Amino acid sequence: MQRDRSILSTVPRNGRLAKRLAVFMELNQEEIDYLDQLQQKEIRLNAGTDIISEGNPYQFSYILKDGWAINYKLLPEGSRQIINFLLPGDFIGLRANWFKTAEASVAGLTDIIVSPMLPHRIITGSQKFPKLGAAIAWSSARDESIMIEHIVSLGRRKAYERIAHLILELRKRLQIVGFTRQRSFILPVTQEVLGDYLGLTVVHVNRTLKKLRERGLIAMEGERLIIKDIEGLERTAGFDGDYLKQDKPSPMTTAFIERIDPSAPVEAPLKKRLGKIQEAAPAGLKSTN
Amino acid sequence: MQRDRSILSTVPRNGRLAKRLAVFMELNQEEIDYLDQLQQKEIRLNAGTDIISEGNPYQFSYILKDGWAINYKLLPEGSRQIINFLLPGDFIGLRANWFKTAEASVAGLTDIIVSPMLPHRIITGSQKFPKLGAAIAWSSARDESIMIEHIVSLGRRKAYERIAHLILELRKRLQIVGFTRQRSFILPVTQEVLGDYLGLTVVHVNRTLKKLRERGLIAMEGERLIIKDIEGLERTAGFDGDYLKQDKPSPMTTAFIERIDPSAPVEAPLKKRLGKIQEAAPAGLKSTN
DNA sequence: CGCCAGGTTGAAAATTGTCAACACGTGTGG
DNA sequence: CCACACGTGTTGACAATTTTCAACCTGGCG
């Protein structure tokens, strides 16, 4: 096993979450400090150990500071479906805030480092730094976007396209937290894991990767995946990375943040929208009572 | 087209959202009244018209009061993947609160009735009725559970099992809002729509439905789907409806609600958990610094 | 040295898709 | 009122994709 995967990133461990949230909206120093403070405590886990177990009560949510993890479910007959890859800077188990029981398990794919988050810290933090609450909500919404793309992949893309799509998505996500070089990144994952994410068998993943290599789209050097033809990959994947960007909060978010921040008064734009409900009815409108 | 699908439910239009949220936690009369008030305005849309369009800016979020809708994405080559079915009482486009641009489209499968929700109503409502904010968060989390099951279906279940699973899920969801009889419900959906949800072609959906009929698991009378053998369906689907229940909020939720409700003081249980962070480290723990 | 996890490959089988034709009911325009 | 278009369901024959089974290879590690 690789020891300190950490050094592979240009972003320090505690800065990864902030880096990721900054995609959504810039944070000021105070907020960054608070996030840093949230992550003081570190827990190290061996690759393969569950940090959350399906059906069991949640304990905490976590910030994944280093290493890769997966969110997965096991089926009765023994197969596994991976729901999502969790990368450094991602939250783990935010749903713990709303549900008593875990819907799926989370395990490290590599050795990982996490910081547990106490619920009260999140709550008080969100009250003190309204942007933080918004950023957490945004983060959940981004995860949902990723799941939507996953559904599209599984439902409508062929093996070849699915893999291409996954590679591009991982690249984009890793870029944000500083884990990529120009045209390559470490993919610390067996072909079986890929299959369990992509809804394919190992054998078929193997053959499909071979095809991607033969056609000159990618190359591999150990765990390092080298992208040889980005346009080619994007074309075959039908990839449009916007779902990972979402770089501007909606006006509602802005209004929300300002509203719950006692220091900021509610300003005009919000009110202006209130009267526009009639026009909001989309085409195809039949009647309004 | 059926005219007033409404009469098929035992729950009045404005009560469906409340009924659904009540699965999570009971609401008092004041809260129910508030929800009712949120839904005064009605917009009717023809089957097939988009209420939210992928790539376009969001206008509002909505409550779906009557009819069925779908959340879907179109692929470049023209195929469609349905992400989720939206049933009466569901929210539409809650992500509008966080994202500027819609990640997927939403369209009515039948004629539908929706109530637009103004963001400020949600915000002030959540402040006045803390449970409401929690319920909205819960609702999003439930949607995520449904998407997780969808991913599992697409990734690891065969056509035959996928359909069985979908039928059971829809039944359970429709039950809550009063749209089922003992062993049947109206499924206002073409086989093509089923295929687009299940990641299958129409032809294959057709054959698979036939198999389900031949094996005596289901029957159809026009749009009414009759479940002839629930245990059989559950067995073939590996169905466990718990993900739709989640009937108890986590202690964190409770703490959260009480915390932001000015009339309720923070009480002991929350504080008691604060010191337990050490024990929270799951098995497999390596070191703690 | 030998075990074991992971990668690779071939051959055959199973699942699912494609193409094409036809059936049926509904609604519309002539 | 009839003819016809159209959307939807159904079926057969065949093709493509993906799985299954089984074997073999490789490198790391105790």
Side-chain angles (χ1 to χ4, degrees), chain B:
Chain B
M1 304 269 138
Q2 290 55 15
R3 294 282 148 247
D4 201 351
R5 204 173 292 283
S6 234
I7 59 166
L8 293 172
S9 173
T10 55
V11 179
R13 279 218 283 279
N14 282 12
R16 290 165 193 170
L17 172 59
K19 205 86 183 174
R20 202 166 63 73
L21 298 181
V23 171
F24 170 57
M25 81 185 356
E26 293 114 66
L27 305 173
N28 63 33
Q29 193 55 46
E30 215 186 356
E31 288 156 347
I32 291 173
D33 290 345
Y34 185 80
L35 285 180
D36 186 72
Q37 189 198 328
L38 263 185
Q39 302 175 71
Q40 281 317 306
K41 180 151 202 61
E42 290 191 346
I43 298 176
R44 285 156 191 272
L45 292 169
N46 288 321
T49 51
D50 274 7
I51 185 168
I52 290 175
S53 285
E54 183 183 344
N56 288 0
Y58 281 114
Q59 304 266 12
F60 294 96
S61 20
Y62 304 86
I63 295 163
L64 177 57
K65 292 174 63 174
D66 199 42
W68 286 40
I70 51 173
N71 192 214
Y72 69 96
K73 285 199 82 160
L74 295 176
L75 281 89
E77 11 79 67
S79 61
R80 175 175 70 170
Q81 178 63 45
I82 295 176
I83 311 301
N84 203 350
F85 287 108
L86 305 171
L87 308 183
D90 284 348
F91 290 116
I92 297 179
L94 268 190
R95 296 157 48 84
N97 294 300
W98 311 111
F99 279 166
K100 205 178 53 177
T101 320
E103 152 86 5
S105 307
V106 175
L109 226 38
T110 65
D111 297 348
I112 58 174
I113 302 175
V114 300
S115 288
M117 294 198 300
L118 288 167
H120 83 292
R121 294 293 285 285
I122 300 174
I123 294 160
T124 56
S126 297
Q127 283 172 333
K128 187 150 180 226
F129 305 105
K131 263 199 233 167
L132 203 59
I136 287 177
W138 166 80
S139 182
S140 308
R142 188 214 60 151
D143 290 350
E144 193 185 306
S145 294
I146 291 173
M147 282 178 51
I148 288 177
E149 278 302 321
H150 194 186
I151 287 173
V152 171
S153 268
L154 293 172
R156 288 294 178 224
R157 290 197 256 256
K158 312 229 161 278
Y160 190 69
E161 304 160 338
R162 286 185 213 175
I163 296 193
H165 195 276
L166 175 61
I167 289 171
L168 291 168
E169 175 185 312
L170 289 175
R171 184 181 114 100
K172 197 132 193 175
R173 288 172 65 186
L174 288 168
Q175 243 172 6
I176 293 166
V177 283
F179 279 88
T180 51
R181 294 198 197 144
Q182 260 309 310
R183 24 190 82 267
S184 78
F185 60 88
I186 299 279
L187 184 63
V189 144
T190 65
Q191 295 181 351
E192 187 181 9
V193 167
L194 289 179
D196 285 349
Y197 181 84
L198 298 166
L200 303 169
T201 56
V202 211
V203 176
H204 203 243
V205 168
N206 184 295
R207 293 196 230 269
T208 312
L209 280 173
K210 187 182 174 193
K211 216 199 282 186
L212 282 164
R213 271 186 266 119
E214 286 172 350
R215 298 197 184 167
L217 297 187
I218 63 169
M220 309 222 47
E221 281 176 12
E223 281 189 327
R224 181 167 292 277
L225 188 146
I226 302 151
I227 298 179
K228 312 215 68 144
D229 179 0
I230 287 227
E231 291 79 21
L233 275 181
E234 288 177 343
R235 233 175 303 116
T236 82
F239 184 76
D240 171 11
D242 282 355
Y243 69 100
L244 294 170
K245 203 162 9 122
Q246 297 282 9
D247 51 354
K248 291 287 187 304
S250 78
M252 294 190 200
T253 307
T254 315
F256 176 68
I257 291 170
E258 281 159 4
R259 182 120 193 172
I260 66 175
D261 178 356
S263 65
V266 181
E267 77 314 346
L270 179 65
K271 294 197 193 100
K272 242 175 72 185
R273 277 197 302 280
L274 305 191
K276 297 179 64 175
I277 185 98
Q278 269 66 275
E279 301 90 281
L285 176 144
K286 271 167 118 181
S287 77
T288 302
N289 75 339

Side-chain angles (χ1 to χ4, degrees), chain A residues 47-258:
Chain A
T49 51
D50 274 6
I51 184 167
I52 289 175
S53 285
E54 184 183 344
N56 287 1
Y58 281 112
Q59 304 266 14
F60 296 96
S61 18
Y62 304 86
I63 295 163
L64 178 55
K65 293 175 61 175
D66 198 42
W68 287 39
I70 51 173
N71 192 215
Y72 70 96
K73 286 199 82 159
L74 296 176
L75 281 88
E77 12 79 65
S79 61
R80 174 176 71 168
Q81 177 63 45
I82 295 176
I83 311 300
N84 203 350
F85 287 108
L86 305 172
L87 309 183
D90 285 347
F91 290 116
I92 296 178
L94 269 189
R95 296 156 49 85
N97 294 300
W98 310 111
F99 279 165
K100 205 179 53 177
T101 321
E103 153 85 6
S105 307
V106 175
L109 226 40
T110 64
D111 297 349
I112 58 175
I113 302 175
V114 300
S115 288
M117 295 198 297
L118 288 167
H120 85 290
R121 295 292 286 284
I122 300 174
I123 293 160
T124 57
S126 297
Q127 284 172 334
K128 186 151 178 224
F129 305 105
K131 262 198 233 167
L132 203 59
I136 288 177
W138 165 79
S139 182
S140 308
R142 187 214 60 150
D143 289 350
E144 193 185 307
S145 293
I146 291 173
M147 282 178 52
I148 289 178
E149 278 302 321
H150 194 185
I151 287 173
V152 171
S153 268
L154 292 172
R156 288 292 178 226
R157 290 197 256 255
K158 311 229 161 279
Y160 190 69
E161 304 160 337
R162 285 186 213 174
I163 296 192
H165 195 276
L166 175 61
I167 289 171
L168 291 169
E169 176 186 313
L170 289 175
R171 184 181 113 102
K172 196 133 195 175
R173 289 173 64 186
L174 289 169
Q175 242 171 6
I176 293 166
V177 283
F179 278 89
T180 51
R181 293 197 197 145
Q182 259 309 311
R183 23 190 83 267
S184 77
F185 59 90
I186 299 281
L187 183 64
V189 143
T190 65
Q191 295 181 350
E192 187 181 8
V193 167
L194 288 179
D196 285 348
Y197 180 83
L198 298 165
L200 302 168
T201 56
V202 210
V203 176
H204 202 243
V205 168
N206 183 294
R207 293 194 231 270
T208 312
L209 280 173
K210 187 184 174 191
K211 215 198 285 185
L212 282 164
R213 270 185 268 120
E214 286 171 350
R215 298 197 185 167
L217 297 187
I218 63 169
M220 310 221 47
E221 280 176 12
E223 281 189 326
R224 181 168 292 277
L225 188 146
I226 302 151
I227 297 180
K228 312 213 71 144
D229 179 0
I230 286 227
E231 291 78 20
L233 275 181
E234 288 178 342
R235 233 176 302 116
T236 82
F239 185 77
D240 170 11
D242 282 355
Y243 69 99
L244 293 171
K245 202 161 12 123
Q246 297 283 8
D247 50 356
K248 291 288 186 305
S250 79
M252 294 190 200
T253 306
T254 314
F256 176 69
I257 291 170
E258 281 160 4

